[in-house]
Amino acid sequence: MKRVSILGATGSIGTSTLTVIRNNPALYQVHSVVADRSVAKMFAICQEFSPQYVVMANETAAAELEALFKQHQMNITVWRGEAAINDLVMMPEIDVVVAAIVGAKGFLSSLSAVKAGKTILLANKESLVMGGALFMEAVKTHGATLLPIDSEHNALFQCLPKNAQGQSTLSGVAQLVLTASGGPFRTFTLEQMASIRKEDALKHPRWDMGAKVTIDSSTLMNKGLEFIEAHFLFDMDPDHIDVVIHPQSIIHSLVAYQDGSLLAQLGEPDMTIPIAHALGYPDRILSGKKPVDMTQMMDLTFEKPDLERFACLRIAKECLRKGNTYLVAMNAINELLVEAFLADKISYLDIPRKLEAFLDQLTDGPLTSFEAIIEYDRIIRERTKLALKDV
């Protein structure tokens, strides 16, 4: 039985992970769960799965949860604060860490799990967007195992050839193709996009995700982050990575081979499927979902993304070529712009416009250590908050 620590347990990825564990009770034990402030959701999780440890990043939430445990005589240790998450993932008894904390907040805990040599089911895009080559080098140095659970990267992992150790290789591979649903505004004109409200942007046509990821999906920034992630995760040249719009979200990504073959992974748009694949790898376990019924399948369509209407995807590709300074800055600025949009402080189209304007002002050199990356992320956030102060 593998002991699993779930970072971001109350979010969509965490919920899906718990579903997979629920469907395979003889194979996995929930060792620990981490969340920010969702006390009611965390208490329900603990009642069902009885983890040994809980970490709440918000200290008030941690105190509330601890009081509930005492009231119900539940013997679960509660830690508090973001630093405690890094300590938790290094505990020797943990076998698998599900890294599903959204945003830059998840970077340090993912890195701590890498340094502890864990098997990491990676959903936190920022680990690779911010950490890039340094993060992948740390995976090798510390003997960690990195398995992607984003549906697109998991699909690529399933379709790529493997070496004797089960690691992906690029032998005979010509191109990696990431699919995108196109989001709720796929057919909107720029004029229509100018009046988009947050209530509209939070309605994704295919996936159930948190607010930040849902907004990123609607702007195609999420696909830009995945483009960057695919480059570092599979060591593929950006010129050989492509993005296509696939509104039905049945094909999750494809690998094109030099011999003309095209391999794709198909499945319902449900995160339990890639999570079950990674959690059980190299074996197959129950996800709780059935395969797509081919006889009932609707037409599968594909189109090229419009980089004028969805400039965030273009910006992300450009930042990858410019280097890690731009990647760290892009990630930080985008997070704050999404927060500003959700707070009704800026318009929807201000997200790509202000992102590009802020990035055009960068003059800083490359970042050569994790410490430099973390410090630069802090600096960029301060600059951006100051620039947005009067908005």
Side-chain angles (χ1 to χ4, degrees), residues 82-118:
E82 292 183 7
I85 305 172
N86 304 328
D87 295 333
L88 174 77
V89 298
M90 301 189 78
M91 296 181 76
E93 63 264 32
I94 293 173
D95 301 302
V96 178
V97 174
V98 179
I101 297 175
V102 175
K105 289 182 178 180
F107 174 61
L108 281 177
S109 54
S110 298
L111 182 59
S112 294
V114 166
K115 290 181 177 179
K118 303 296 184 184

Short mmCIF file of all heavy atoms in Angstrom, two decimals, residues 82-118:
data_model
loop_
_atom_site.label_atom_id
_atom_site.label_comp_id
_atom_site.label_asym_id
_atom_site.label_seq_id
_atom_site.Cartn_x
_atom_site.Cartn_y
_atom_site.Cartn_z
N GLU A 82 2.56 28.02 5.34
CA GLU A 82 3.08 27.48 4.08
C GLU A 82 4.41 26.75 4.26
O GLU A 82 4.69 25.78 3.56
CB GLU A 82 3.23 28.62 3.06
CG GLU A 82 1.88 29.18 2.61
CD GLU A 82 2.01 30.24 1.54
OE1 GLU A 82 3.13 30.46 1.04
OE2 GLU A 82 0.99 30.88 1.21
N ALA A 83 5.24 27.20 5.20
CA ALA A 83 6.53 26.53 5.43
C ALA A 83 6.35 25.09 5.88
O ALA A 83 7.18 24.22 5.58
CB ALA A 83 7.35 27.31 6.45
N ALA A 84 5.25 24.81 6.57
CA ALA A 84 4.99 23.45 7.07
C ALA A 84 4.76 22.47 5.93
O ALA A 84 5.02 21.27 6.06
CB ALA A 84 3.80 23.46 8.01
N ILE A 85 4.29 22.99 4.78
CA ILE A 85 4.04 22.09 3.63
C ILE A 85 5.37 21.50 3.15
O ILE A 85 5.45 20.32 2.83
CB ILE A 85 3.35 22.86 2.49
CG1 ILE A 85 2.07 23.52 2.99
CG2 ILE A 85 3.03 21.92 1.32
CD1 ILE A 85 1.42 24.46 1.98
N ASN A 86 6.40 22.35 3.11
CA ASN A 86 7.72 21.88 2.67
C ASN A 86 8.28 20.83 3.62
O ASN A 86 8.90 19.86 3.17
CB ASN A 86 8.69 23.07 2.57
CG ASN A 86 8.17 24.16 1.66
OD1 ASN A 86 7.48 23.89 0.68
ND2 ASN A 86 8.50 25.40 1.97
N ASP A 87 8.05 21.00 4.91
CA ASP A 87 8.51 20.01 5.89
C ASP A 87 7.74 18.70 5.72
O ASP A 87 8.31 17.61 5.81
CB ASP A 87 8.31 20.54 7.31
CG ASP A 87 9.20 21.75 7.60
OD1 ASP A 87 10.27 21.87 6.97
OD2 ASP A 87 8.81 22.58 8.43
N LEU A 88 6.45 18.82 5.47
CA LEU A 88 5.60 17.63 5.35
C LEU A 88 6.07 16.72 4.23
O LEU A 88 6.22 15.51 4.42
CB LEU A 88 4.15 18.05 5.10
CG LEU A 88 3.19 16.91 4.81
CD1 LEU A 88 2.82 16.18 6.09
CD2 LEU A 88 1.92 17.41 4.12
N VAL A 89 6.29 17.27 3.03
CA VAL A 89 6.57 16.41 1.87
C VAL A 89 7.91 15.71 1.97
O VAL A 89 8.17 14.76 1.22
CB VAL A 89 6.51 17.22 0.55
CG1 VAL A 89 5.12 17.78 0.32
CG2 VAL A 89 7.55 18.33 0.52
N MET A 90 8.74 16.12 2.91
CA MET A 90 10.04 15.47 3.08
C MET A 90 9.99 14.32 4.09
O MET A 90 11.00 13.65 4.33
CB MET A 90 11.09 16.51 3.50
CG MET A 90 11.24 17.63 2.47
SD MET A 90 12.63 18.73 2.77
CE MET A 90 14.00 17.76 2.17
N MET A 91 8.82 14.06 4.67
CA MET A 91 8.69 12.97 5.63
C MET A 91 9.00 11.63 4.94
O MET A 91 8.46 11.35 3.86
CB MET A 91 7.30 12.96 6.25
CG MET A 91 7.00 14.19 7.08
SD MET A 91 5.35 14.15 7.83
CE MET A 91 5.63 12.99 9.16
N PRO A 92 9.86 10.80 5.52
CA PRO A 92 10.33 9.59 4.83
C PRO A 92 9.24 8.56 4.54
O PRO A 92 9.38 7.79 3.59
CB PRO A 92 11.38 9.02 5.80
CG PRO A 92 11.07 9.63 7.13
CD PRO A 92 10.51 10.98 6.83
N GLU A 93 8.16 8.55 5.31
CA GLU A 93 7.14 7.52 5.08
C GLU A 93 6.23 7.81 3.89
O GLU A 93 5.47 6.94 3.46
CB GLU A 93 6.29 7.33 6.34
CG GLU A 93 5.47 8.54 6.76
CD GLU A 93 6.16 9.38 7.81
OE1 GLU A 93 7.40 9.42 7.80
OE2 GLU A 93 5.46 9.99 8.63
N ILE A 94 6.30 9.01 3.33
CA ILE A 94 5.46 9.35 2.19
C ILE A 94 6.06 8.75 0.91
O ILE A 94 7.24 8.94 0.63
CB ILE A 94 5.32 10.88 2.04
CG1 ILE A 94 4.54 11.46 3.22
CG2 ILE A 94 4.62 11.24 0.73
CD1 ILE A 94 4.49 12.97 3.25
N ASP A 95 5.23 8.04 0.14
CA ASP A 95 5.68 7.45 -1.12
C ASP A 95 5.38 8.33 -2.32
O ASP A 95 6.20 8.43 -3.24
CB ASP A 95 4.99 6.08 -1.33
CG ASP A 95 5.28 5.11 -0.21
OD1 ASP A 95 6.47 4.84 0.03
OD2 ASP A 95 4.32 4.64 0.43
N VAL A 96 4.20 8.95 -2.32
CA VAL A 96 3.74 9.72 -3.47
C VAL A 96 3.25 11.08 -3.02
O VAL A 96 2.48 11.18 -2.04
CB VAL A 96 2.59 8.98 -4.21
CG1 VAL A 96 2.09 9.82 -5.40
CG2 VAL A 96 3.04 7.60 -4.68
N VAL A 97 3.68 12.12 -3.72
CA VAL A 97 3.20 13.47 -3.46
C VAL A 97 2.42 13.95 -4.68
O VAL A 97 2.95 13.99 -5.79
CB VAL A 97 4.37 14.45 -3.17
CG1 VAL A 97 3.84 15.88 -3.04
CG2 VAL A 97 5.11 14.04 -1.91
N VAL A 98 1.16 14.31 -4.47
CA VAL A 98 0.35 14.91 -5.53
C VAL A 98 0.49 16.42 -5.41
O VAL A 98 -0.02 17.03 -4.46
CB VAL A 98 -1.13 14.48 -5.43
CG1 VAL A 98 -1.94 15.14 -6.54
CG2 VAL A 98 -1.24 12.97 -5.51
N ALA A 99 1.22 17.04 -6.35
CA ALA A 99 1.52 18.47 -6.29
C ALA A 99 0.47 19.24 -7.07
O ALA A 99 0.58 19.44 -8.27
CB ALA A 99 2.91 18.73 -6.84
N ALA A 100 -0.59 19.68 -6.37
CA ALA A 100 -1.73 20.31 -7.04
C ALA A 100 -2.09 21.67 -6.44
O ALA A 100 -3.22 22.12 -6.56
CB ALA A 100 -2.94 19.38 -6.98
N ILE A 101 -1.12 22.31 -5.79
CA ILE A 101 -1.35 23.68 -5.33
C ILE A 101 -1.21 24.61 -6.53
O ILE A 101 -0.22 24.56 -7.25
CB ILE A 101 -0.35 24.07 -4.22
CG1 ILE A 101 -0.56 23.17 -3.00
CG2 ILE A 101 -0.51 25.54 -3.84
CD1 ILE A 101 0.46 23.39 -1.90
N VAL A 102 -2.20 25.46 -6.74
CA VAL A 102 -2.23 26.32 -7.92
C VAL A 102 -1.32 27.52 -7.74
O VAL A 102 -1.25 28.11 -6.67
CB VAL A 102 -3.67 26.80 -8.20
CG1 VAL A 102 -3.71 27.80 -9.36
CG2 VAL A 102 -4.56 25.61 -8.51
N GLY A 103 -0.61 27.88 -8.81
CA GLY A 103 0.19 29.10 -8.81
C GLY A 103 1.59 28.91 -8.25
O GLY A 103 2.03 27.81 -7.93
N ALA A 104 2.28 30.05 -8.12
CA ALA A 104 3.66 30.04 -7.63
C ALA A 104 3.77 29.49 -6.21
O ALA A 104 4.83 29.02 -5.80
CB ALA A 104 4.24 31.45 -7.69
N LYS A 105 2.66 29.53 -5.45
CA LYS A 105 2.68 28.98 -4.09
C LYS A 105 3.05 27.50 -4.08
O LYS A 105 3.56 27.00 -3.08
CB LYS A 105 1.31 29.17 -3.43
CG LYS A 105 0.96 30.60 -3.06
CD LYS A 105 -0.38 30.67 -2.38
CE LYS A 105 -0.73 32.09 -1.96
NZ LYS A 105 -2.05 32.16 -1.30
N GLY A 106 2.78 26.81 -5.18
CA GLY A 106 3.07 25.39 -5.23
C GLY A 106 4.49 25.05 -5.63
O GLY A 106 4.90 23.89 -5.57
N PHE A 107 5.26 26.06 -6.02
CA PHE A 107 6.61 25.82 -6.53
C PHE A 107 7.54 25.24 -5.46
O PHE A 107 8.19 24.21 -5.68
CB PHE A 107 7.19 27.13 -7.09
CG PHE A 107 8.62 27.04 -7.51
CD1 PHE A 107 9.02 26.17 -8.50
CD2 PHE A 107 9.59 27.86 -6.92
CE1 PHE A 107 10.34 26.09 -8.90
CE2 PHE A 107 10.91 27.79 -7.32
CZ PHE A 107 11.29 26.90 -8.30
N LEU A 108 7.59 25.86 -4.29
CA LEU A 108 8.53 25.44 -3.25
C LEU A 108 8.20 24.05 -2.71
O LEU A 108 9.11 23.25 -2.46
CB LEU A 108 8.55 26.45 -2.10
CG LEU A 108 9.39 27.71 -2.34
CD1 LEU A 108 9.26 28.65 -1.16
CD2 LEU A 108 10.85 27.36 -2.58
N SER A 109 6.92 23.74 -2.55
CA SER A 109 6.57 22.41 -2.04
C SER A 109 6.89 21.33 -3.06
O SER A 109 7.35 20.24 -2.70
CB SER A 109 5.09 22.36 -1.64
OG SER A 109 4.26 22.79 -2.70
N SER A 110 6.69 21.63 -4.35
CA SER A 110 7.07 20.66 -5.40
C SER A 110 8.58 20.44 -5.37
O SER A 110 9.06 19.31 -5.49
CB SER A 110 6.64 21.17 -6.78
OG SER A 110 5.25 21.32 -6.86
N LEU A 111 9.32 21.52 -5.24
CA LEU A 111 10.78 21.42 -5.19
C LEU A 111 11.25 20.64 -3.96
O LEU A 111 12.18 19.82 -4.05
CB LEU A 111 11.39 22.82 -5.19
CG LEU A 111 12.92 22.91 -5.18
CD1 LEU A 111 13.52 22.20 -6.39
CD2 LEU A 111 13.37 24.37 -5.13
N SER A 112 10.59 20.85 -2.83
CA SER A 112 10.94 20.10 -1.61
C SER A 112 10.71 18.60 -1.81
O SER A 112 11.50 17.77 -1.37
CB SER A 112 10.12 20.61 -0.42
OG SER A 112 10.46 21.94 -0.11
N ALA A 113 9.62 18.26 -2.48
CA ALA A 113 9.33 16.84 -2.77
C ALA A 113 10.38 16.25 -3.69
O ALA A 113 10.79 15.08 -3.53
CB ALA A 113 7.94 16.71 -3.38
N VAL A 114 10.84 17.04 -4.65
CA VAL A 114 11.92 16.60 -5.55
C VAL A 114 13.19 16.33 -4.75
O VAL A 114 13.83 15.28 -4.91
CB VAL A 114 12.18 17.65 -6.64
CG1 VAL A 114 13.50 17.36 -7.35
CG2 VAL A 114 11.03 17.68 -7.65
N LYS A 115 13.55 17.25 -3.88
CA LYS A 115 14.78 17.11 -3.09
C LYS A 115 14.71 15.92 -2.14
O LYS A 115 15.74 15.38 -1.73
CB LYS A 115 15.06 18.40 -2.33
CG LYS A 115 15.48 19.56 -3.24
CD LYS A 115 15.77 20.82 -2.44
CE LYS A 115 16.26 21.94 -3.35
NZ LYS A 115 16.52 23.20 -2.60
N ALA A 116 13.48 15.51 -1.79
CA ALA A 116 13.31 14.33 -0.93
C ALA A 116 13.26 13.05 -1.74
O ALA A 116 13.11 11.96 -1.17
CB ALA A 116 12.04 14.48 -0.10
N GLY A 117 13.38 13.16 -3.07
CA GLY A 117 13.43 11.98 -3.94
C GLY A 117 12.10 11.25 -4.07
O GLY A 117 12.07 10.04 -4.31
N LYS A 118 11.00 11.97 -3.92
CA LYS A 118 9.68 11.34 -3.95
C LYS A 118 9.22 11.05 -5.38
O LYS A 118 9.77 11.56 -6.36
CB LYS A 118 8.64 12.27 -3.29
CG LYS A 118 8.95 12.67 -1.88
CD LYS A 118 8.95 11.48 -0.93
CE LYS A 118 9.17 11.93 0.52
NZ LYS A 118 9.26 10.78 1.45
#
